[in-house]
Coordinates of all heavy atoms in Angstrom, one line a residue:
M1 N -17.8 -17.1 -27.2 CA -16.3 -16.9 -27.1 C -15.6 -18.2 -27.3 O -15.9 -19.2 -26.8 CB -16.0 -16.4 -25.7 CG -14.6 -15.9 -25.6 SD -14.1 -15.7 -23.9 CE -15.1 -14.4 -23.3
R2 N -14.6 -18.2 -28.2 CA -13.7 -19.4 -28.5 C -12.7 -19.5 -27.4 O -12.0 -18.5 -27.0 CB -13.1 -19.3 -29.8 CG -13.8 -20.1 -30.9 CD -12.9 -20.3 -32.1 NE -11.8 -21.2 -31.9 CZ -10.6 -21.1 -32.5 NH1 -10.3 -20.0 -33.2 NH2 -9.7 -22.0 -32.2
I3 N -12.5 -20.7 -26.9 CA -11.5 -20.9 -25.9 C -10.1 -21.3 -26.6 O -10.0 -22.4 -27.0 CB -11.8 -22.0 -24.9 CG1 -13.2 -21.8 -24.2 CG2 -10.8 -22.2 -23.8 CD1 -13.2 -20.6 -23.2
T4 N -9.3 -20.3 -26.7 CA -7.9 -20.5 -27.3 C -7.0 -20.9 -26.2 O -7.2 -20.7 -25.0 CB -7.4 -19.3 -27.9 OG1 -7.3 -18.3 -26.9 CG2 -8.4 -18.7 -29.0
P5 N -5.9 -21.6 -26.6 CA -4.9 -21.9 -25.5 C -4.4 -20.7 -24.7 O -4.2 -20.8 -23.5 CB -3.7 -22.5 -26.3 CG -4.4 -23.0 -27.6 CD -5.5 -22.1 -27.9
N6 N -4.3 -19.6 -25.4 CA -3.9 -18.3 -24.7 C -4.9 -17.9 -23.6 O -4.5 -17.6 -22.5 CB -3.7 -17.2 -25.7 CG -2.2 -17.0 -26.1 OD1 -1.4 -17.6 -25.4 ND2 -2.0 -16.2 -27.1
L7 N -6.1 -17.9 -24.0 CA -7.2 -17.5 -23.1 C -7.3 -18.5 -21.9 O -7.4 -18.1 -20.8 CB -8.6 -17.5 -23.9 CG -9.8 -17.2 -23.0 CD1 -9.6 -15.8 -22.4 CD2 -11.0 -17.2 -23.9
L8 N -7.1 -19.8 -22.3 CA -7.1 -20.8 -21.2 C -6.0 -20.5 -20.2 O -6.2 -20.6 -19.0 CB -7.0 -22.2 -21.8 CG -7.3 -23.4 -20.9 CD1 -8.7 -23.3 -20.5 CD2 -7.0 -24.7 -21.7
A9 N -4.8 -20.2 -20.7 CA -3.7 -19.9 -19.8 C -4.0 -18.7 -18.9 O -3.7 -18.7 -17.7 CB -2.4 -19.7 -20.7
T10 N -4.6 -17.7 -19.5 CA -4.9 -16.5 -18.8 C -5.9 -16.8 -17.7 O -5.8 -16.4 -16.5 CB -5.5 -15.4 -19.7 OG1 -4.6 -15.2 -20.8 CG2 -5.8 -14.1 -19.0
L11 N -6.9 -17.6 -18.0 CA -8.0 -17.9 -17.1 C -7.4 -18.7 -15.9 O -7.7 -18.5 -14.7 CB -9.1 -18.7 -17.7 CG -10.0 -17.9 -18.7 CD1 -11.0 -18.8 -19.4 CD2 -10.7 -16.8 -18.0
L12 N -6.5 -19.7 -16.3 CA -5.9 -20.5 -15.2 C -5.0 -19.6 -14.3 O -5.1 -19.8 -13.1 CB -5.0 -21.5 -15.9 CG -5.7 -22.8 -16.3 CD1 -4.7 -23.7 -17.1 CD2 -6.3 -23.6 -15.1
A13 N -4.3 -18.7 -14.9 CA -3.4 -17.8 -14.1 C -4.3 -17.0 -13.1 O -4.0 -16.8 -12.0 CB -2.6 -16.9 -15.0
L14 N -5.4 -16.5 -13.6 CA -6.3 -15.7 -12.8 C -6.9 -16.5 -11.6 O -7.1 -16.1 -10.5 CB -7.5 -15.1 -13.6 CG -7.1 -13.9 -14.5 CD1 -8.2 -13.5 -15.4 CD2 -6.7 -12.7 -13.7
A15 N -7.2 -17.8 -12.0 CA -7.8 -18.7 -11.0 C -6.9 -19.0 -9.9 O -7.3 -19.1 -8.7 CB -8.3 -20.0 -11.7
I16 N -5.6 -19.1 -10.2 CA -4.6 -19.5 -9.2 C -4.1 -18.2 -8.4 O -3.7 -18.4 -7.3 CB -3.4 -20.1 -9.9 CG1 -3.8 -21.4 -10.6 CG2 -2.2 -20.4 -9.0 CD1 -2.8 -22.0 -11.6
A17 N -4.2 -17.0 -9.1 CA -3.6 -15.9 -8.5 C -4.0 -15.5 -7.1 O -3.2 -15.2 -6.2 CB -3.8 -14.7 -9.4
P18 N -5.3 -15.4 -6.8 CA -5.7 -14.8 -5.5 C -5.0 -15.5 -4.3 O -5.2 -16.7 -4.1 CB -7.2 -14.9 -5.4 CG -7.6 -15.1 -6.8 CD -6.5 -15.8 -7.5
G19 N -4.3 -14.7 -3.5 CA -3.7 -15.2 -2.3 C -2.4 -16.0 -2.5 O -1.7 -16.2 -1.6
A20 N -2.2 -16.4 -3.8 CA -1.0 -17.3 -4.0 C 0.3 -16.5 -3.9 O 1.3 -17.1 -3.4 CB -1.1 -17.9 -5.4
H21 N 0.2 -15.2 -4.2 CA 1.5 -14.4 -4.2 C 1.3 -13.1 -3.4 O 1.6 -12.1 -3.9 CB 2.0 -14.2 -5.6 CG 2.3 -15.4 -6.3 ND1 3.4 -16.2 -6.0 CD2 1.7 -16.1 -7.3 CE1 3.5 -17.2 -6.8 NE2 2.4 -17.2 -7.6
A22 N 0.6 -13.2 -2.3 CA 0.4 -12.0 -1.5 C 1.8 -11.4 -1.1 O 2.6 -12.1 -0.5 CB -0.4 -12.2 -0.2
G23 N 2.1 -10.2 -1.6 CA 3.4 -9.7 -1.4 C 3.5 -8.6 -0.3 O 2.5 -8.2 0.2
E24 N 4.7 -8.2 0.0 CA 4.9 -7.1 1.0 C 5.7 -6.0 0.3 O 6.7 -6.3 -0.4 CB 5.6 -7.6 2.2 CG 5.8 -6.5 3.2 CD 6.3 -6.9 4.6 OE1 5.6 -7.6 5.3 OE2 7.5 -6.6 4.9
H25 N 5.2 -4.8 0.4 CA 5.8 -3.6 -0.2 C 6.3 -2.7 1.0 O 5.5 -2.4 1.8 CB 4.8 -2.9 -1.1 CG 4.2 -3.7 -2.1 ND1 4.6 -3.8 -3.4 CD2 3.1 -4.6 -1.9 CE1 3.8 -4.7 -4.0 NE2 2.9 -5.2 -3.2
V26 N 7.5 -2.3 0.9 CA 8.1 -1.4 2.0 C 8.1 0.0 1.5 O 8.6 0.3 0.4 CB 9.5 -1.9 2.4 CG1 10.1 -0.9 3.4 CG2 9.5 -3.3 2.9
V27 N 7.5 0.9 2.3 CA 7.5 2.3 2.0 C 8.1 3.0 3.2 O 7.6 2.8 4.3 CB 6.1 2.9 1.8 CG1 6.1 4.4 1.6 CG2 5.4 2.2 0.6
T28 N 9.3 3.7 3.0 CA 9.9 4.3 4.1 C 9.5 5.8 4.2 O 9.1 6.4 3.2 CB 11.5 4.2 4.0 OG1 11.9 4.8 2.8 CG2 11.9 2.8 4.1
Q29 N 9.6 6.3 5.4 CA 9.3 7.7 5.7 C 10.7 8.3 6.0 O 11.3 8.0 7.0 CB 8.4 7.9 6.8 CG 6.9 7.5 6.5 CD 6.8 6.0 6.7 OE1 6.9 5.5 7.8 NE2 6.5 5.3 5.6
K30 N 11.1 9.3 5.2 CA 12.4 9.9 5.4 C 12.3 11.4 4.9 O 11.7 11.6 3.9 CB 13.5 9.2 4.6 CG 14.9 9.6 5.2 CD 15.9 8.6 4.6 CE 17.3 9.1 5.0 NZ 17.9 8.3 6.1
N31 N 12.9 12.3 5.7 CA 12.8 13.7 5.3 C 11.4 14.2 5.1 O 11.1 14.9 4.2 CB 13.7 14.0 4.1 CG 15.2 13.7 4.3 OD1 15.7 13.9 5.4 ND2 15.8 13.1 3.3
K32 N 10.5 13.7 6.0 CA 9.1 14.1 5.9 C 8.5 13.8 4.6 O 7.6 14.5 4.1 CB 8.9 15.6 6.2 CG 9.3 16.0 7.6 CD 9.0 17.5 7.8 CE 9.6 18.0 9.2 NZ 9.4 19.4 9.3
S33 N 8.9 12.7 4.0 CA 8.2 12.3 2.8 C 8.2 10.7 2.7 O 9.1 10.1 3.2 CB 8.7 12.9 1.5 OG 10.1 12.6 1.4
F34 N 7.3 10.2 1.9 CA 7.3 8.8 1.6 C 8.3 8.5 0.5 O 8.6 9.3 -0.3 CB 5.9 8.4 1.1 CG 4.8 8.4 2.1 CD1 3.8 9.4 2.1 CD2 4.7 7.5 3.2 CE1 2.8 9.5 3.0 CE2 3.7 7.6 4.1 CZ 2.8 8.6 4.1
S35 N 8.9 7.3 0.6 CA 9.9 6.9 -0.4 C 9.3 6.9 -1.8 O 10.1 7.0 -2.8 CB 10.6 5.6 0.0 OG 9.6 4.6 0.2
V36 N 8.0 6.7 -2.0 CA 7.4 6.7 -3.3 C 6.1 7.5 -3.1 O 5.5 7.6 -2.0 CB 7.0 5.3 -3.8 CG1 8.3 4.6 -4.3 CG2 6.2 4.5 -2.8
T37 N 5.6 8.2 -4.2 CA 4.4 8.9 -4.1 C 3.2 8.1 -4.6 O 2.1 8.5 -4.4 CB 4.5 10.3 -4.8 OG1 4.9 10.1 -6.1 CG2 5.5 11.2 -4.1
R38 N 3.5 7.1 -5.5 CA 2.5 6.3 -6.0 C 3.0 4.8 -5.9 O 4.2 4.6 -6.0 CB 2.2 6.6 -7.5 CG 1.6 7.9 -7.7 CD 1.2 8.0 -9.2 NE 0.1 7.1 -9.5 CZ -1.2 7.4 -9.4 NH1 -1.6 8.6 -8.9 NH2 -2.2 6.6 -9.6
L39 N 2.1 3.9 -5.7 CA 2.4 2.5 -5.5 C 1.2 1.7 -6.0 O 0.1 2.0 -5.8 CB 2.6 2.3 -4.0 CG 3.0 0.8 -3.6 CD1 4.4 0.5 -4.1 CD2 3.0 0.7 -2.1
A40 N 1.6 0.7 -6.7 CA 0.5 -0.3 -7.2 C 0.8 -1.6 -6.5 O 1.9 -2.1 -6.5 CB 0.6 -0.4 -8.7
V41 N -0.3 -2.1 -5.9 CA -0.2 -3.4 -5.2 C -1.3 -4.3 -5.7 O -2.3 -3.8 -6.3 CB -0.2 -3.3 -3.7 CG1 0.9 -2.3 -3.2 CG2 -1.6 -2.9 -3.2
K42 N -1.3 -5.6 -5.3 CA -2.4 -6.5 -5.6 C -3.2 -6.6 -4.3 O -2.8 -6.5 -3.2 CB -1.9 -7.8 -6.0 CG -1.4 -7.8 -7.5 CD -1.0 -9.2 -8.0 CE 0.4 -9.5 -7.5 NZ 0.9 -10.8 -8.0
T43 N -4.5 -6.9 -4.6 CA -5.4 -7.1 -3.4 C -4.9 -8.2 -2.6 O -4.5 -9.3 -3.1 CB -6.8 -7.5 -4.0 OG1 -7.3 -6.5 -4.8 CG2 -7.8 -7.7 -2.8
G44 N -4.8 -8.0 -1.3 CA -4.3 -8.9 -0.3 C -2.8 -8.7 0.0 O -2.3 -9.3 1.0
D45 N -2.2 -7.8 -0.7 CA -0.8 -7.4 -0.4 C -0.7 -6.6 0.9 O -1.7 -5.9 1.3 CB -0.1 -6.6 -1.5 CG 0.3 -7.5 -2.7 OD1 0.1 -8.7 -2.6 OD2 0.8 -7.0 -3.7
T46 N 0.5 -6.6 1.5 CA 0.8 -5.8 2.7 C 1.7 -4.7 2.3 O 2.6 -4.8 1.5 CB 1.5 -6.8 3.7 OG1 0.6 -7.8 4.1 CG2 1.9 -6.0 5.0
V47 N 1.5 -3.5 2.9 CA 2.4 -2.4 2.8 C 3.0 -2.2 4.2 O 2.3 -2.1 5.2 CB 1.8 -1.1 2.3 CG1 2.8 0.0 2.3 CG2 1.1 -1.3 1.0
R48 N 4.3 -2.2 4.3 CA 5.0 -2.0 5.5 C 5.6 -0.5 5.5 O 6.3 -0.2 4.6 CB 6.2 -3.0 5.7 CG 7.1 -2.7 6.9 CD 8.1 -3.8 7.1 NE 7.5 -5.1 7.4 CZ 7.1 -5.5 8.6 NH1 7.3 -4.7 9.7 NH2 6.6 -6.6 8.8
F49 N 5.1 0.3 6.5 CA 5.6 1.6 6.6 C 6.7 1.7 7.7 O 6.5 1.5 8.8 CB 4.4 2.5 7.0 CG 3.3 2.6 6.0 CD1 2.2 1.8 6.0 CD2 3.4 3.5 4.9 CE1 1.2 1.9 5.0 CE2 2.4 3.6 3.9 CZ 1.3 2.8 4.0
T50 N 7.9 2.1 7.2 CA 9.0 2.1 8.1 C 9.5 3.6 8.3 O 9.7 4.3 7.3 CB 10.2 1.3 7.4 OG1 9.8 0.0 7.2 CG2 11.4 1.3 8.3
N51 N 9.6 3.9 9.5 CA 10.0 5.3 9.8 C 11.5 5.4 9.9 O 12.2 4.9 10.8 CB 9.4 5.7 11.2 CG 9.7 7.2 11.5 OD1 10.4 7.9 10.8 ND2 9.1 7.7 12.6
D52 N 12.1 6.1 8.9 CA 13.6 6.3 8.9 C 14.0 7.7 9.4 O 15.1 8.1 9.3 CB 14.1 6.2 7.5 CG 14.6 4.7 7.2 OD1 14.6 3.9 8.2 OD2 15.0 4.4 6.1
D53 N 13.0 8.5 9.8 CA 13.3 9.8 10.3 C 13.5 9.8 11.8 O 13.1 8.9 12.5 CB 12.0 10.8 10.1 CG 12.1 11.5 8.7 OD1 13.3 11.8 8.3 OD2 11.1 11.6 8.1
P54 N 14.2 10.8 12.4 CA 14.5 10.8 13.8 C 13.3 11.3 14.6 O 13.5 11.5 15.8 CB 15.7 11.7 13.9 CG 15.7 12.6 12.7 CD 15.0 11.8 11.6
F55 N 12.2 11.5 14.0 CA 11.0 11.9 14.7 C 9.8 11.1 14.3 O 9.9 10.3 13.4 CB 10.7 13.4 14.4 CG 10.9 13.8 13.0 CD1 9.9 13.5 12.0 CD2 12.1 14.4 12.5 CE1 10.1 13.8 10.7 CE2 12.3 14.7 11.2 CZ 11.3 14.4 10.3
N56 N 8.7 11.3 15.0 CA 7.6 10.4 14.8 C 6.7 10.8 13.6 O 6.7 11.9 13.1 CB 6.6 10.5 16.0 CG 7.1 9.8 17.2 OD1 8.3 9.4 17.3 ND2 6.3 9.6 18.2
H57 N 6.1 9.7 13.0 CA 5.1 9.9 12.0 C 3.9 9.2 12.5 O 3.9 8.3 13.3 CB 5.6 9.3 10.6 CG 6.7 10.0 10.0 ND1 6.5 11.2 9.4 CD2 8.0 9.7 9.8 CE1 7.7 11.6 8.8 NE2 8.6 10.7 9.1
N58 N 2.7 9.6 11.9 CA 1.5 9.0 12.2 C 0.7 8.7 10.9 O 0.0 9.6 10.4 CB 0.6 9.8 13.2 CG -0.7 9.1 13.6 OD1 -1.1 8.1 13.0 ND2 -1.3 9.6 14.6
I59 N 0.9 7.6 10.3 CA 0.4 7.2 9.0 C -1.1 6.8 9.1 O -1.4 6.0 10.0 CB 1.2 6.1 8.3 CG1 2.7 6.4 8.4 CG2 0.8 5.9 6.9 CD1 3.1 7.7 7.8
F60 N -1.9 7.4 8.2 CA -3.3 7.0 8.3 C -4.0 7.2 6.9 O -3.4 7.7 6.0 CB -4.1 7.9 9.3 CG -4.3 9.3 8.8 CD1 -5.5 9.7 8.2 CD2 -3.3 10.3 8.9 CE1 -5.7 11.0 7.7 CE2 -3.5 11.6 8.4 CZ -4.8 11.9 7.8
S61 N -5.2 6.6 6.8 CA -6.0 6.8 5.5 C -7.4 6.9 5.9 O -7.9 6.2 6.8 CB -5.8 5.7 4.6 OG -6.6 5.9 3.4
L62 N -8.1 7.8 5.2 CA -9.6 8.0 5.4 C -10.3 7.4 4.2 O -11.5 7.6 4.1 CB -9.9 9.4 5.6 CG -9.3 10.2 6.8 CD1 -9.7 11.6 6.8 CD2 -9.8 9.5 8.1
S63 N -9.6 6.7 3.3 CA -10.2 6.2 2.1 C -11.2 5.2 2.4 O -11.1 4.4 3.3 CB -9.1 5.6 1.2 OG -8.1 6.6 0.9
E64 N -12.3 5.2 1.5 CA -13.4 4.2 1.6 C -12.9 2.8 1.5 O -13.3 1.9 2.2 CB -14.4 4.5 0.5 CG -15.8 4.9 1.0 CD -16.7 5.2 -0.1 OE1 -17.1 4.3 -0.8 OE2 -16.9 6.4 -0.3
V65 N -11.9 2.6 0.5 CA -11.4 1.3 0.3 C -10.7 0.7 1.5 O -10.8 -0.5 1.8 CB -10.5 1.3 -1.0 CG1 -9.6 0.1 -1.1 CG2 -11.3 1.6 -2.2
K66 N -9.9 1.5 2.2 CA -9.2 1.1 3.3 C -8.9 2.3 4.3 O -8.1 3.1 3.9 CB -7.9 0.4 2.9 CG -7.1 -0.2 4.0 CD -7.7 -1.5 4.5 CE -6.9 -2.1 5.7 NZ -7.5 -3.4 6.1
S67 N -9.6 2.3 5.4 CA -9.3 3.4 6.3 C -8.6 2.8 7.5 O -8.9 1.7 7.9 CB -10.6 4.1 6.8 OG -11.3 3.3 7.7
F68 N -7.5 3.5 7.9 CA -6.7 2.9 9.0 C -5.9 4.1 9.7 O -5.8 5.2 9.1 CB -5.7 1.9 8.5 CG -4.7 2.4 7.5 CD1 -3.5 2.9 7.9 CD2 -5.0 2.3 6.1 CE1 -2.6 3.4 6.9 CE2 -4.1 2.7 5.2 CZ -2.9 3.3 5.6
D69 N -5.4 3.8 10.9 CA -4.6 4.8 11.6 C -3.5 4.0 12.3 O -3.8 3.2 13.3 CB -5.5 5.6 12.6 CG -4.7 6.7 13.3 OD1 -3.4 6.7 13.1 OD2 -5.3 7.4 14.0
L70 N -2.3 4.1 11.9 CA -1.2 3.3 12.5 C -0.7 3.9 13.8 O 0.2 3.4 14.5 CB 0.0 3.2 11.5 CG -0.4 2.5 10.2 CD1 0.8 2.3 9.3 CD2 -1.0 1.1 10.5
G71 N -1.2 5.1 14.2 CA -0.7 5.8 15.4 C 0.6 6.4 15.2 O 1.3 6.2 14.1
S72 N 1.1 7.0 16.2 CA 2.4 7.7 16.2 C 3.5 6.8 16.6 O 3.4 6.1 17.6 CB 2.3 8.9 17.1 OG 3.5 9.7 17.0
Y73 N 4.6 6.7 15.7 CA 5.7 5.8 16.1 C 7.0 6.4 15.5 O 7.0 7.1 14.5 CB 5.5 4.4 15.6 CG 5.2 4.2 14.2 CD1 6.3 3.8 13.3 CD2 4.0 4.3 13.6 CE1 6.1 3.6 12.0 CE2 3.8 4.1 12.3 CZ 4.8 3.7 11.5 OH 4.6 3.5 10.1
G74 N 8.1 6.1 16.2 CA 9.4 6.7 16.0 C 10.3 6.0 15.1 O 10.0 5.0 14.5
H75 N 11.6 6.5 15.1 CA 12.7 6.0 14.3 C 12.9 4.5 14.4 O 12.9 4.0 15.5 CB 13.9 6.8 14.7 CG 15.1 6.3 13.9 ND1 15.4 6.7 12.6 CD2 16.1 5.4 14.2 CE1 16.5 6.1 12.2 NE2 16.9 5.3 13.2
G76 N 13.0 3.9 13.2 CA 13.4 2.5 13.1 C 12.2 1.6 13.3 O 12.4 0.4 13.1
L77 N 11.1 2.1 13.6 CA 9.9 1.2 13.8 C 9.1 1.1 12.5 O 9.1 2.0 11.7 CB 9.0 1.7 14.9 CG 9.7 1.8 16.3 CD1 8.8 2.4 17.3 CD2 10.1 0.4 16.8
S78 N 8.4 0.1 12.4 CA 7.5 -0.1 11.2 C 6.2 -0.7 11.6 O 6.1 -1.5 12.5 CB 8.2 -0.9 10.1 OG 8.3 -2.2 10.5
K79 N 5.1 -0.4 10.8 CA 3.8 -1.0 11.0 C 3.3 -1.4 9.6 O 3.7 -0.8 8.6 CB 2.9 0.0 11.7 CG 3.3 0.3 13.1 CD 2.2 0.9 13.9 CE 2.7 1.2 15.3 NZ 1.6 1.7 16.2
T80 N 2.4 -2.4 9.6 CA 1.9 -2.9 8.3 C 0.4 -2.7 8.2 O -0.3 -2.6 9.2 CB 2.2 -4.4 8.2 OG1 1.6 -5.1 9.3 CG2 3.7 -4.6 8.2
V81 N 0.0 -2.7 6.9 CA -1.4 -2.6 6.6 C -1.7 -3.6 5.5 O -0.9 -3.7 4.5 CB -1.8 -1.2 6.1 CG1 -3.3 -1.2 5.6 CG2 -1.7 -0.2 7.2
V82 N -2.7 -4.4 5.6 CA -3.1 -5.3 4.5 C -4.2 -4.7 3.7 O -5.2 -4.2 4.3 CB -3.6 -6.7 5.1 CG1 -4.1 -7.6 4.0 CG2 -2.5 -7.4 6.0
L83 N -4.0 -4.6 2.4 CA -4.9 -3.9 1.5 C -5.8 -5.0 0.9 O -5.4 -5.7 0.0 CB -4.2 -3.1 0.5 CG -3.4 -2.0 1.2 CD1 -2.4 -1.3 0.2 CD2 -4.3 -0.9 1.7
D84 N -7.0 -5.2 1.5 CA -7.8 -6.4 1.2 C -8.9 -6.1 0.2 O -9.7 -7.0 -0.1 CB -8.3 -7.0 2.5 CG -8.8 -5.9 3.5 OD1 -9.0 -4.8 3.0 OD2 -9.0 -6.3 4.6
K85 N -9.0 -4.9 -0.3 CA -10.0 -4.5 -1.3 C -9.4 -3.7 -2.4 O -8.6 -2.9 -2.2 CB -11.1 -3.7 -0.6 CG -12.2 -4.6 0.1 CD -13.3 -3.7 0.5 CE -13.6 -3.8 2.0 NZ -14.3 -2.7 2.6
P86 N -9.9 -3.9 -3.6 CA -9.3 -3.1 -4.8 C -9.8 -1.7 -4.7 O -10.9 -1.4 -4.3 CB -9.8 -3.9 -6.0 CG -11.0 -4.7 -5.6 CD -10.8 -4.9 -4.1
G87 N -9.0 -0.8 -5.3 CA -9.4 0.6 -5.4 C -8.2 1.5 -5.1 O -7.1 1.1 -4.9
M88 N -8.5 2.8 -4.9 CA -7.5 3.8 -4.6 C -7.5 4.1 -3.1 O -8.5 4.3 -2.5 CB -7.7 5.1 -5.4 CG -7.6 4.9 -6.9 SD -6.1 4.2 -7.5 CE -5.0 5.6 -7.1
V89 N -6.3 4.1 -2.6 CA -6.1 4.4 -1.1 C -5.2 5.6 -1.0 O -4.0 5.5 -1.4 CB -5.6 3.2 -0.3 CG1 -5.4 3.5 1.1 CG2 -6.5 2.0 -0.5
E90 N -5.7 6.7 -0.5 CA -4.8 7.8 -0.2 C -4.3 7.8 1.2 O -5.0 7.7 2.1 CB -5.6 9.2 -0.5 CG -4.6 10.4 -0.4 CD -5.4 11.7 -0.6 OE1 -6.6 11.8 -0.3 OE2 -4.7 12.6 -1.0
V91 N -2.9 7.8 1.3 CA -2.3 7.6 2.6 C -1.7 9.0 3.0 O -1.0 9.6 2.1 CB -1.2 6.5 2.5 CG1 -0.5 6.4 3.9 CG2 -1.8 5.2 2.1
E92 N -1.8 9.4 4.2 CA -1.3 10.7 4.7 C -0.6 10.5 6.1 O -0.7 9.4 6.6 CB -2.5 11.7 4.9 CG -3.3 11.9 3.6 CD -4.5 12.7 3.8 OE1 -4.4 13.9 4.0 OE2 -5.6 12.1 3.9
C93 N 0.0 11.6 6.5 CA 0.6 11.6 7.8 C -0.1 12.7 8.7 O -0.2 13.8 8.2 CB 2.1 11.8 7.7 SG 2.9 11.9 9.4
A94 N -0.5 12.3 9.8 CA -1.2 13.3 10.7 C -0.3 14.4 11.2 O -0.7 15.4 11.6 CB -1.9 12.5 11.9
V95 N 1.0 14.1 11.3 CA 2.0 15.0 11.8 C 2.5 16.0 10.7 O 2.7 17.2 11.0 CB 3.2 14.3 12.4 CG1 4.1 15.3 13.1 CG2 2.8 13.2 13.4
H96 N 2.6 15.5 9.5 CA 3.1 16.2 8.3 C 2.1 16.2 7.2 O 2.1 15.3 6.4 CB 4.4 15.6 7.9 CG 5.4 15.4 9.0 ND1 5.7 14.2 9.6 CD2 6.1 16.3 9.7 CE1 6.5 14.3 10.6 NE2 6.9 15.6 10.7
P97 N 1.3 17.3 7.1 CA 0.2 17.3 6.1 C 0.6 17.3 4.7 O -0.2 17.0 3.8 CB -0.5 18.7 6.4 CG -0.1 19.1 7.8 CD 1.3 18.5 8.0
D98 N 1.9 17.6 4.4 CA 2.4 17.5 3.0 C 2.7 16.1 2.5 O 2.9 15.9 1.4 CB 3.7 18.4 2.9 CG 3.4 19.9 2.9 OD1 2.2 20.2 2.8 OD2 4.3 20.7 3.2
M99 N 2.7 15.2 3.5 CA 3.1 13.8 3.1 C 1.9 13.1 2.4 O 0.8 13.1 3.0 CB 3.5 13.0 4.3 CG 4.9 13.4 4.8 SD 5.4 12.5 6.3 CE 5.6 10.9 5.7
K100 N 2.0 12.7 1.2 CA 0.9 12.0 0.5 C 1.5 10.8 -0.3 O 2.5 10.9 -0.9 CB 0.3 13.0 -0.5 CG -0.5 14.1 0.1 CD -1.9 13.8 0.2 CE -2.8 15.0 0.5 NZ -2.6 15.7 1.7
L101 N 0.7 9.8 -0.3 CA 1.0 8.6 -1.0 C -0.3 8.0 -1.6 O -1.3 7.8 -0.9 CB 1.7 7.5 -0.1 CG 1.7 6.1 -0.6 CD1 2.6 5.9 -1.9 CD2 2.2 5.2 0.5
M102 N -0.3 7.7 -2.9 CA -1.5 7.1 -3.5 C -1.2 5.7 -3.8 O -0.2 5.3 -4.5 CB -1.9 7.8 -4.8 CG -2.6 9.1 -4.7 SD -4.2 9.0 -3.7 CE -5.2 8.0 -4.8
V103 N -2.0 4.8 -3.2 CA -1.8 3.3 -3.5 C -3.0 2.8 -4.3 O -4.1 3.0 -4.0 CB -1.7 2.5 -2.2 CG1 -1.5 1.1 -2.5 CG2 -0.7 3.1 -1.3
E104 N -2.6 2.2 -5.5 CA -3.6 1.6 -6.3 C -3.6 0.1 -6.0 O -2.6 -0.6 -6.2 CB -3.3 1.8 -7.8 CG -4.3 1.2 -8.7 CD -3.8 1.2 -10.2 OE1 -2.8 1.8 -10.5 OE2 -4.5 0.5 -11.0
V105 N -4.8 -0.3 -5.5 CA -4.9 -1.8 -5.1 C -5.6 -2.4 -6.3 O -6.8 -2.2 -6.6 CB -5.7 -2.0 -3.8 CG1 -5.6 -3.4 -3.4 CG2 -5.1 -1.1 -2.7
R106 N -4.8 -3.2 -7.0 CA -5.4 -3.9 -8.2 C -6.0 -5.2 -7.8 O -5.6 -5.8 -6.9 CB -4.2 -4.1 -9.2 CG -3.7 -2.8 -9.8 CD -2.5 -3.0 -10.7 NE -2.1 -1.7 -11.2 CZ -0.9 -1.6 -11.8 NH1 -0.1 -2.6 -11.9 NH2 -0.5 -0.3 -12.3
K107 N -6.9 -5.6 -8.7 CA -7.7 -6.9 -8.4 C -6.8 -8.1 -8.5 O -5.8 -8.1 -9.2 CB -8.9 -7.0 -9.4 CG -10.0 -6.1 -8.9 CD -11.2 -6.3 -9.9 CE -12.3 -5.3 -9.5 NZ -13.3 -5.1 -10.4
Ligands
CU1 CU1 5.0 12.4 9.2

């Protein structure tokens, strides 16, 4: 493989990237649904789940990539999850079975 300036720039960007820009993504719960149904994040990013409904939600995932259970919490409160491995994470609500969110955790 020839090392072109473009390739070099790409390799440098990849080398610097991990952890350098861990971001936070806010997903609100309102009217028994997530504010987005699909979300793409980078490995190491945080998703903050904010409850904007006047009743409780219980956000969880049984996905292999990231399984978690944020427990039941009410209006105005939020909890966070760090997505530390790449892959697909299906997020659901234990109180409202119709609530679904697919998070793609990119490398
Ligand atoms: Cu819910």
